[in-house]
């Protein structure tokens, strides 16, 4: 049996940032972070687009809007202090059909209301100056959007946790959680950890951790895989920074985009296909327990009835490179299917409610002596330091030790 003041479950960017912030505020606390894999940052944190979002898309007043704007500023300041490379390469969101223009205008309005600096609506000529190979009717230019390697950021947070006296235990899957005499007891294959307070940030398994602690089963994590293609090196010149389409308003995902990577290269993606395993990075990966969790949730069928058409398009993009190329050719017409090579994939932890709605905002649930992060999809990596401050506030309010 191991004892501590605070146990954090999940060594992704959110759990690491939360552990770091709790120790920063309370240097004397004994904190243990439990991660099931042998290393931290292997799931969403290590498999994403690497974009430092500026906060354009999110509903004004939402946690996403507030924490993304604050978090991106905090993140770049942190990278400056820690010498972590990042690049403010700028981004354009391109409308290619007249019907997308009102949506683009709405995005600009939102972005300004959210306090995103220096946003501008631009026409085709200015777009050509910024991205010489992009074509569109109009675009939003967000010059402050950047890129970073979130795996590297997570490792720096982990160093901070250790330097502050926190312990990171890997290969420790939390299998159950109980309350015993005012303590939270977490069961791992290597024994029990007893804590005064628990914080769970379990990404693709966050619903399971919350439900182990008695949270209502009203949110289910539905895994949406996103595949990337890599642009052949000789074609990288087609993209200078970040080029995005106008997102489909019925989905919380941002659409297949072109992303310059830290350390070189350009990725196209991710699409969004229902995954049959929460950590299934290939089309053929199936985990019966995960699949049953999806299919037995009433909200899934409500979503399916509403969105089967979009789902079918996304599946086609998964199977056919040509369909994928078609998505990016709308705004960079010179990209041909043969310019794209299969790349990595990531799986998004997206919460779905019982009525079949994809939960748009971050959800942080407070229980007795515990805080459970129940929905932390994109832009949670950008927002990690701001989410950590919110979690630490909730811990302090619930447990004024
Ligand atoms: C394809 C894709 C593209 C994205 N692009 C961007 C982007 O450009 N910009 C951006 O800001 N965000 C982006 N995101 C979102 C971002 O990656 C996530 O929001 C963020 O990484 C979430 O971090 P996390 O710590 O909550 O989850 P994770 O990184 O998934 O970490 C959760 C951790 O918990 C561990 N765990 C789970 N269950 C247990 C258990 N029972 N016991 C112990 N440990 C457990 C897991 O092993 C894992 O390490 C993207 C996500 C995806 C998938």
């Amino acid at each position: 049996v191991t004892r501590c003041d605070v146990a954090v479950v999940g060594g992704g960017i959110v759990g690491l940032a939360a552990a770091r912030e709790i120790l920063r505020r309370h240097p004397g606390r004994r904190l243990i972070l439990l991660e099931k894999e042998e290393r931290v940052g292997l799931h969403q944190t290590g498999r994403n687009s690497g974009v430092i979002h500026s906060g354009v898309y999110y509903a004004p007043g939402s946690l996403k809007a507030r924490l993304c704007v604050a978090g991106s500023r905090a993140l770049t300041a942190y990278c400056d202090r820690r010498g972590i490379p990042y690049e403010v390469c700028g981004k354009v969101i391109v409308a290619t059909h007249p019907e997308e223009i009102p949506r683009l205008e709405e995005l600009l309005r939102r972005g300004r209301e959210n306090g995103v600096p220096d946003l501008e609506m631009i026409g085709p000529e200015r777009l050509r100056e910024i991205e010489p190979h992009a074509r569109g009717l109009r675009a939003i230019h967000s010059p402050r959007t950047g890129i970073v390697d979130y795996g590297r950021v997570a490792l720096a947070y982990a160093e901070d946790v250790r330097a502050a006296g926190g312990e990171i235990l890997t290969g420790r899957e939390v299998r159950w959680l109980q309350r015993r005499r005012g303590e939270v007891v977490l069961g791992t294959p290597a024994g029990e950890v007893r804590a005064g307070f628990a914080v769970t940030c379990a990404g693709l398994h966050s619903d399971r951790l919350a439900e182990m602690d008695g949270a209502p089963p009203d949110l289910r994590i539905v895994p949406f895989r996103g595949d990337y293609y890599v642009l052949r090196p000789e074609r990288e010149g087609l993209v200078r920074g970040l080029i995005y389409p106008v997102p489909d308003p019925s989905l919380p995902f941002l659409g297949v985009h072109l992303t310059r990577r830290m350390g070189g290269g350009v990725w196209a993606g991710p699409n969004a296909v229902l995954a049959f395993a929460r950590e299934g990075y290939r089309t053929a990966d199936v985990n019966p327990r995960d699949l049953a969790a999806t299919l037995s949730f009433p909200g899934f069928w409500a979503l399916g009835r509403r969105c089967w058409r979009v789902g079918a398009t996304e599946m086609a993009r998964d199977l056919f490179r040509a369909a994928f190329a078609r998505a990016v050719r709308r705004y960079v017409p010179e990209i041909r299917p043969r310019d794209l090579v299969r790349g990595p994939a990531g799986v998004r932890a997206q919460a779905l409610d019982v009525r079949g709605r994809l939960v748009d905002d971050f959800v942080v649930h407070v229980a007795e002596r515990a805080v459970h992060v129940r929905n932390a999809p994109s832009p949670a990596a950008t927002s990690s330091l701001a989410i950590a401050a919110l979690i630490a506030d909730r811990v302090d309010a619930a447990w004024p030790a």
Side-chain angles (χ1 to χ4, degrees):
V1 179
T2 315
R3 282 211 145 75
C4 61
D5 298 317
V6 185
V8 177
V9 181
I13 201 164
V14 174
L16 290 163
R20 176 183 175 276
E21 181 61 18
I22 290 166
L23 286 171
R24 216 177 57 79
R25 294 186 187 189
H26 306 281
R29 276 193 187 157
R30 171 125 209 258
L31 180 144
I32 293 180
L33 184 145
L34 300 162
E35 164 56 50
K36 72 181 164 66
E37 306 294 345
E38 293 304 324
R39 281 184 292 131
V40 298
L42 287 184
H43 291 294
Q44 295 176 90
T45 297
R47 294 171 166 272
N48 56 51
S49 297
V51 175
I52 305 174
H53 287 293
S54 61
V56 176
Y57 302 96
Y58 317 112
S62 63
L63 286 177
K64 275 189 180 177
R66 191 156 59 76
L67 302 181
C68 181
V69 173
S72 64
R73 214 176 292 131
L75 179 66
T76 50
Y78 179 81
C79 290
D80 286 335
R81 283 202 306 282
R82 294 294 311 257
I84 298 169
Y86 68 95
E87 205 182 303
V88 183
C89 55
K91 154 171 165 173
V92 286
I93 307 172
V94 183
T96 51
H97 288 290
E99 84 224 23
E100 289 176 333
I101 289 178
R103 266 148 60 197
L104 199 66
E105 283 166 348
E106 167 63 13
L107 286 181
L108 181 70
R109 201 190 58 72
R110 277 189 173 195
R112 291 200 169 133
E113 197 172 333
N114 292 344
V116 180
D118 305 332
L119 291 179
E120 209 186 338
M121 187 66 85
I122 59 174
E125 296 77 37
R126 179 81 182 111
L127 174 61
R128 220 178 269 239
E129 283 168 27
I130 297 166
E131 287 288 353
H133 301 275
R135 296 291 174 270
L137 303 172
R138 291 174 85 178
I140 292 174
H141 182 217
S142 169
R144 302 278 194 97
T145 302
I147 52 174
V148 73
D149 176 349
Y150 285 113
R152 190 150 175 194
V153 174
L155 289 178
Y157 293 170
E159 275 174 25
D160 295 347
V161 169
R162 291 198 190 93
E167 234 182 305
I168 297 175
L169 303 178
T170 55
R172 297 287 182 99
E173 181 178 348
V174 174
R175 301 235 168 111
W176 50 262
L177 191 157
Q178 286 176 2
R179 305 309 178 110
R180 252 184 251 156
R181 290 190 289 276
E183 282 182 322
V184 188
V185 187
L186 303 126
T188 83
E192 292 181 0
V193 174
R194 296 195 183 173
F197 203 98
V199 177
T200 70
C201 311
L204 288 152
H205 301 282
S206 50
D207 52 347
R208 290 177 176 152
L209 268 296
E211 283 171 38
M212 280 178 203
D213 196 30
D218 55 351
L219 294 183
R220 181 69 45 99
I221 291 292
V222 178
F224 283 95
R225 202 186 64 249
D227 302 296
Y228 293 94
Y229 280 86
V230 179
L231 207 55
R232 286 190 192 282
E234 63 274 20
R235 303 290 280 169
E236 281 169 14
L238 294 174
V239 182
R240 281 193 180 162
L242 304 166
I243 313 178
Y244 280 61
V246 178
D248 179 336
S250 70
L251 291 175
F253 310 127
L254 303 182
V256 170
H257 44 85
L258 290 162
T259 315
R260 186 158 282 285
R261 302 285 301 175
M262 265 331 280
V266 173
W267 287 8
N271 59 349
V273 266
L274 184 72
F276 300 133
R278 294 195 182 190
E279 286 152 12
Y281 297 106
R282 290 164 311 180
T283 310
D285 287 343
V286 179
N287 175 313
R289 179 178 172 221
D290 292 347
L291 185 58
T294 300
L295 299 180
S296 66
F297 189 65
F300 171 71
W301 296 97
L303 173 74
R305 276 191 297 278
R306 226 177 46 242
C307 291
W308 66 271
R309 213 183 287 273
V310 188
T313 314
E314 290 292 327
M315 301 264 282
R317 250 179 230 158
D318 176 35
L319 296 173
F320 305 110
R321 185 171 65 166
F324 213 98
R326 211 156 31 238
V328 289
R329 280 166 71 100
R330 277 183 42 208
Y331 48 88
V332 181
E334 289 167 67
I335 294 179
R336 303 157 302 187
R338 63 174 180 280
D339 297 330
L340 301 173
V341 186
R342 261 238 186 247
V347 181
R348 306 171 182 83
Q350 172 61 53
L352 180 70
D353 73 13
V354 274
R355 293 170 58 190
R357 286 173 306 206
L358 296 166
V359 179
D360 200 36
D361 210 1
F362 299 144
V363 179
V364 177
H365 176 83
V366 180
E368 201 196 325
R369 289 176 172 267
V371 169
H372 303 293
V373 176
R374 302 197 68 183
N375 195 40
S378 184
T382 302
S383 318
S384 51
L385 291 171
I387 296 178
L390 177 104
I391 293 171
D393 287 346
R394 302 275 156 92
V395 176
D396 288 344
W399 198 49

